[in-house]
Each structure stands twice: as C-alpha cells, then as structure tokens.
Amino acid sequence: MGDLYALDFDGVLCDSCGESSLSAVKAAKVRWPGLFDGVDSATEDWIVDQMHIVRPIVETGYENVLLVRLLLEMRMSSIRKSSVAEGLTIDGILESWSKIKPVIMEEWGENRETLVDLFGKVRDEWMDKDLGTWIAANRFYPGVPDALQLASSSIFIVTTKQSRFADALLQKLAGVTIPHEKIYGLGTGPKVEVLKQLQKRPEHQGLKLHFVEDRLATLKNVIKEPELDGWNLYLGDWGYNTKKEREEAASISRIEILQLSDFTKKLK
C-alpha cells in the first residue's frame, strides 16, 4: 500500500496572487485600452490590493481580468458600463461572483476563450521578456519545495492553471521537476474527471488516494460524485478561501481541514 496525492497548484503549492493580479492588469490594458486612459498608479495599486482579497472566488485565471475591470468600474463611475458595479462592495463580489460573472461577460460582450488566450499570451510575453520578475512575483508556500523533493508518495498536479506556467514555476522557483504527464492543467477537463482517470489506472489500484484543494466548491463537486468516494479530501486552510468557507468545510464529514505544516509532513 502506498499513497497518491492529487494536488491543486495555486493556493496549495504556490501563492501566485501577486503575479496573476499584475498579469490581469496588463491583460485588461490590452483588452480595453481606452478604459485605462488616465488611470493613475495609485488606482492600479488599489486594484492589485483588492485582487488579493477577492482571490478566493477565482476558479480559472481569466476571471482575474474580469475582476480588474470590475474593480476599475467600481472605483471610477465615469467609465462604468456594467449594471452591477454601482454600489458593489468587495464583500458583494465575494458573496455573489457566480451571479455577477455571467452578467458582466454579456454586458461587456466577452467570451471565455478569448480571455483565456489573452491571459496566457500576456503571461508568455512577460516570461519571454523578463522571466526573473515573472518568477519573483510568485512564491511557494514555506516547506512545500522540500516536501515535493522528498515525497515518497506518487504526486500529481491537478490545476486550472495552464500547465506550462505550473511547470515553469516548479522548475525555476521550487527546483522541482514533475513529469509533464503528471501535470493536469487547463484544458485537461474538470478536476472530478481527472480524479476519475487517476483512480482507474491499473498502476494506482491499492493506493490510498488524497486530494488537496483550497476551493471548497471543488471539493463539494467531488463529494457529489459517488464514483469518487474513495478519495480522502482536504481543504488547505493556508490557501485562497474565506473563514466562512472553512467553517462550512469543518461541518462536512468528508472534508478534513489541513494546516500547511501537516500537509508538508504528509507529503514526506
């Protein structure tokens, strides 16, 4: 008997909020250049600060771009185009993002694929021009690189981040090489489907299965799938989640609240 760990990336292994927020500002300027005419550095700094607060609601990277524009419209009524921005608060975003997102997508005439491609392109260009500053805008959580290097368990990365970015950070920032085929990134399908694939592999039969995630909604999706009852589920309390979500998770018998120090010990 051994252990298999399926690990989310952002919010479990790596704190990428600094990089994703700055990349989202860059992408928003490309997508809507006219909106950013006259926006001063203080306003941009405010947006980046707020992005750290609203980060728990982001499931896929392109949503950061939408949030940057929404925050700008909240701050500057003169450029406001969405019906939801007036009177909206940060708490309102945290509570109602799933309802807000389709409204602004429609009102702004955006589509998911275009924003995914743009966000990836902006990150690629930043990496190509100045890999050092792109890497430096990220950080691995304390103890995680050593735990990955020393792990005796089978490790898979299951993330909505594009695989090439996760791979670059693992190698350049953590000094860890995880085979490409063990990184399931954006485009490989929903996480519940990836978990199903992993548990069906003949070489994984008999292993104890663990899934570590920082988004409660994702863990609840796993619980809805009877086929995935064999997975041990963990919510990382150091990641992108709120106190309210952690309290809810604590009331769900399938989910264990995990602290960072215990997580790194488990991997070793």
Side-chain angles (χ1 to χ4, degrees):
M1 289 286 288
D3 294 277
L4 181 154
Y5 281 87
L7 307 175
D8 181 34
F9 190 83
D10 295 315
V12 169
L13 302 180
C14 182
D15 179 4
S16 61
C17 193
E19 179 273 322
S20 62
S21 299
L22 293 171
S23 290
V25 171
K26 292 174 184 284
K29 288 180 176 180
V30 172
R31 186 64 181 162
W32 308 294
L35 295 184
F36 283 84
D37 289 344
V39 173
D40 58 22
S41 59
T43 300
E44 285 192 22
D45 290 344
W46 177 83
I47 289 172
V48 171
D49 287 343
Q50 304 313 303
M51 290 291 288
H52 283 78
I53 300 173
V54 299
R55 180 59 181 81
I57 62 172
V58 174
E59 182 176 8
T60 306
Y62 80 95
E63 295 173 63
N64 287 293
V65 187
L66 295 172
L67 284 164
V68 165
R69 175 169 175 176
L70 182 59
L71 288 165
L72 182 63
E73 291 199 9
M74 288 166 58
R75 187 80 163 182
M76 298 178 62
S77 59
S78 60
I79 56 95
R80 192 171 292 158
K81 298 288 179 64
S82 64
S83 61
V84 298
E86 185 175 0
L88 185 62
T89 63
I90 298 300
D91 285 342
I93 295 176
L94 288 169
E95 292 169 5
S96 305
W97 178 238
S98 62
K99 296 176 182 178
I100 292 171
K101 186 174 70 169
V103 172
I104 58 178
M105 289 280 280
E106 181 176 352
E107 290 182 341
W108 296 342
E110 296 299 330
N111 68 80
R112 183 183 189 277
E113 290 71 24
T114 298
L115 292 175
V116 167
D117 290 345
L118 172 63
F119 197 48
K121 181 181 178 182
V122 166
R123 282 173 144 170
D124 282 333
E125 289 178 350
W126 186 0
M127 290 172 70
D128 289 342
K129 291 179 180 177
D130 194 348
L131 182 61
T133 61
W134 184 83
I135 293 290
N138 298 270
R139 72 178 185 99
F140 277 83
Y141 292 105
V144 166
D146 287 343
L148 290 173
Q149 289 172 346
L150 299 173
S152 56
S153 305
S154 183
I155 303 292
F156 288 82
I157 308 299
V158 183
T159 178
T160 55
K161 196 183 195 75
Q162 291 173 316
S163 297
R164 65 185 184 276
F165 300 128
D167 183 53
L169 289 167
L170 284 163
Q171 292 196 48
K172 303 291 186 182
L173 193 57
V176 175
T177 299
I178 291 181
H180 182 72
E181 64 272 14
K182 288 192 170 187
I183 302 178
Y184 288 81
L186 184 66
T188 56
K191 291 185 179 183
V192 291
E193 297 304 322
V194 174
L195 296 183
K196 289 176 184 179
Q197 292 177 39
L198 292 177
Q199 73 179 20
K200 287 177 181 177
R201 289 191 186 180
E203 65 270 28
H204 295 161
Q205 302 310 301
L207 295 181
K208 193 173 182 180
L209 306 174
H210 310 271
F211 178 43
V212 185
E213 172 66 64
D214 71 314
R215 292 192 75 250
L216 176 58
T218 302
L219 293 175
K220 289 166 76 172
N221 285 338
V222 174
I223 292 172
K224 292 176 185 175
E225 299 280 343
E227 189 178 338
L228 299 176
D229 284 350
W231 286 85
N232 296 283
L233 305 180
Y234 308 89
L235 181 75
D237 74 350
W238 63 93
Y240 306 133
N241 44 60
T242 64
K243 181 181 178 182
K244 182 179 178 181
E245 288 170 331
R246 291 190 290 275
E247 290 173 348
E248 182 182 349
S251 70
I252 301 174
S253 59
R254 280 284 309 275
I255 299 175
E256 179 181 338
I257 306 295
L258 195 60
Q259 295 183 340
L260 180 58
S261 58
D262 292 330
F263 169 59
T264 55
K265 288 176 185 175
K266 279 180 178 290
L267 289 187
K268 295 178 184 178

